[in-house]
Amino acid sequence: MYICKFTTFVAAFALASTINAQAQVKEDFVPSSMNQPGQEYPMVNSEGYARFRVMAPEAKSVSVTLGLGGQGGTKLEKQADGSWTGTTAGPMDEGFHYYHLIVDGAPFNDPGTLNYYGSCRWESGIEIPAHDRDFYALKNVPHGNVQQVLFHSPSTGTERRAFVYTPAEYGKTNKRYPVLYLQHGWGEDETAWSNQGHANLIMDNMIANGEIEPFIIVMTYGMTNDIKFGGINKFDAKEFEKVLVDELVPYIDANFNTIADRDHRAMAGLSMGGMETKLITMRRPEVFGYYGLLSGGMYSPEDLKGSNVHKVFISCGSKENPDGVTAAVKKLKEAGYDATSYVSPGTAHEFLTWRRSLHEMAPLLFK
């Protein structure tokens, strides 16, 4: 489903299990890793609960669009000092979540957290620590560089932006590298994979561990956010295809040490970025040799006829459509394609699904 992730994430905030109303919440709360420097709230505990505190002494009502309660949020209670506090009714899915405050009916970002572009706006973000978070943790390893590049787009008459991850060893020799073009989803932009997805840290850790050979990642705006509800059937990604294939790919090949052929070029995307990946790779099989759909639909054998694709990777969360993903890959394998499925355990349409998917997909590329 390729719709604004704020809407789809509400479903992901459901309780992992029903708990007794009188059950005790473990009081080992610590500040979220995504808080502003020096800010104590929001907090998270080892069970996956989130706790909020907001100063709003003149407000009549305050709630958080995270967790249960009413329309999928958490109602805060006013305290004697003018603050509003509350804890989610149950544990959240592990990983990253967007949210914002509703103060007297109006949306506001939580001043305690950093902001992340999602839901077609800058949102507050919170991180529920995942049991397997080590693979995207910030560690003492050689770190690559994520740099902003600006490129001209004749087809749109604009100057456009992309972020390019280059591995730590890049530039120290004349070595050339494969490239993965990695797309965000609806409601997000080219900052998502680095900020919410930690793609650079995932790459740094895998390279340091010898799990993958280094490659470049390019992340640009997929021009998805003009698509309104009910208009998905009109979306064909052709305007973005011109920007990506005819303008950005040549720019990257001219300005970075790339191996400039389809055998060393991949495209993948999450959610609506997966839809873009599918549409563009089907129309331009001469450009990309590796395809990845992360909660972003599925290929059929008919879709890939004549593509000579080297590898297909299809993934989703276990709370999405795991049976559809595994069945699609089974059909691809039966048709003779090299395809791999991955189902992220215990997650839905959310960034822990996609972090894990990138971690699973990266070693399969450029073989």
Side-chain angles (χ1 to χ4, degrees):
M1 192 177 223
Y2 314 101
I3 59 176
C4 186
K5 263 180 284 306
F6 172 73
T7 302
T8 59
F9 282 162
V10 169
F13 300 153
L15 290 175
S17 61
T18 302
I19 62 171
N20 186 286
Q22 280 71 48
Q24 292 294 315
V25 177
K26 192 171 183 179
E27 291 296 329
D28 59 353
F29 284 88
V30 296
S32 167
S33 62
M34 292 185 163
N35 284 4
Q36 298 275 6
Q39 295 299 308
E40 186 178 11
Y41 288 89
M43 306 183 85
V44 297
N45 78 350
S46 61
E47 299 173 313
Y49 287 78
R51 179 169 290 172
F52 304 90
R53 182 178 186 271
V54 179
M55 287 300 299
E58 303 301 320
K60 305 301 181 184
S61 67
V62 180
S63 62
V64 179
T65 58
L66 184 75
L68 294 185
Q71 297 300 311
T74 297
K75 184 178 179 180
L76 306 188
E77 299 295 332
K78 191 171 187 179
Q79 309 301 310
D81 64 355
S83 68
W84 294 75
T85 63
T87 303
T88 55
M92 311 296 298
D93 282 352
E94 294 179 337
F96 173 84
H97 300 286
Y98 299 109
Y99 75 96
H100 57 260
L101 307 174
I102 302 294
V103 180
D104 293 344
F108 292 91
N109 283 1
D110 187 338
T113 69
L114 300 173
N115 295 328
Y116 301 86
Y117 196 81
S119 313
C120 309
R121 66 186 296 274
W122 288 99
E123 290 271 33
S124 300
I126 192 170
E127 184 81 18
I128 306 300
H131 70 279
D132 60 344
R133 59 188 179 275
D134 185 70
F135 75 89
Y136 57 84
L138 177 60
K139 300 179 183 181
N140 182 19
V141 300
H143 291 293
N145 181 43
V146 178
Q147 63 180 289
Q148 174 182 282
V149 299
L150 302 175
F151 65 99
H152 181 62
S153 167
S155 68
T156 62
T158 61
E159 307 306 309
R160 308 193 71 84
R161 181 173 72 164
F163 286 95
V164 181
Y165 167 84
T166 50
E169 67 176 38
Y170 180 86
K172 295 178 181 178
T173 69
N174 292 326
K175 180 178 176 179
R176 293 188 171 272
Y177 297 84
V179 184
L180 166 63
Y181 289 82
L182 188 60
Q183 289 306 122
H184 60 83
W186 202 97
E188 296 165 348
D189 68 6
E190 61 272 25
T191 64
W193 267 110
S194 296
N195 291 346
Q196 293 95 294
H198 301 319
N200 54 316
L201 300 182
I202 294 170
M203 291 291 293
D204 290 342
N205 292 336
M206 295 187 79
I207 293 169
N209 292 337
E211 298 173 64
I212 60 172
E213 290 297 317
F215 59 83
I216 294 169
I217 298 180
V218 177
M219 300 155 281
T220 195
Y221 176 55
M223 304 170 68
T224 59
N225 296 354
D226 290 337
I227 305 301
K228 307 302 180 185
F229 288 108
I232 189 64
N233 292 334
K234 299 178 182 178
F235 182 71
D236 60 13
K238 287 185 177 178
E239 185 178 14
F240 177 59
E241 179 182 328
K242 292 179 182 178
V243 172
L244 179 71
V245 175
D246 299 327
E247 297 165 355
L248 180 55
V249 168
Y251 175 89
I252 296 296
D253 287 340
N255 290 277
F256 289 85
N257 290 339
T258 68
I259 306 174
D261 59 45
R262 70 177 299 276
D263 295 334
H264 297 88
R265 194 181 291 129
M267 184 175 181
L270 68 87
S271 192
M272 200 166 180
M275 181 180 181
E276 290 182 317
T277 297
K278 180 179 178 180
L279 291 169
I280 292 172
T281 55
M282 286 172 59
R283 291 194 294 253
R284 302 294 293 271
E286 77 281 4
V287 179
F288 303 99
Y290 299 81
Y291 310 164
L293 308 181
L294 320 182
S295 303
M298 287 157 276
Y299 290 104
S300 70
E302 292 73 23
D303 294 331
L304 300 178
K305 283 184 178 178
S307 66
N308 194 29
V309 60
H310 296 309
K311 183 72 182 183
V312 177
F313 179 88
I314 305 177
S315 71
C316 71
S318 63
K319 298 181 181 181
E320 296 188 273
N321 184 23
D323 292 342
V325 165
T326 55
V329 166
K330 183 175 183 291
K331 290 180 180 179
L332 292 175
K333 288 181 175 179
E334 290 171 348
Y337 293 99
D338 185 355
T340 296
S341 63
Y342 170 71
V343 175
S344 168
T347 58
H349 206 70
E350 54 195 277
F351 257 101
L352 186 53
T353 296
W354 306 320
R355 292 172 185 169
R356 288 172 174 168
S357 295
L358 177 60
H359 183 248
E360 294 292 325
M361 180 179 68
L364 306 176
L365 300 178
F366 312 120
K367 297 298 185 182

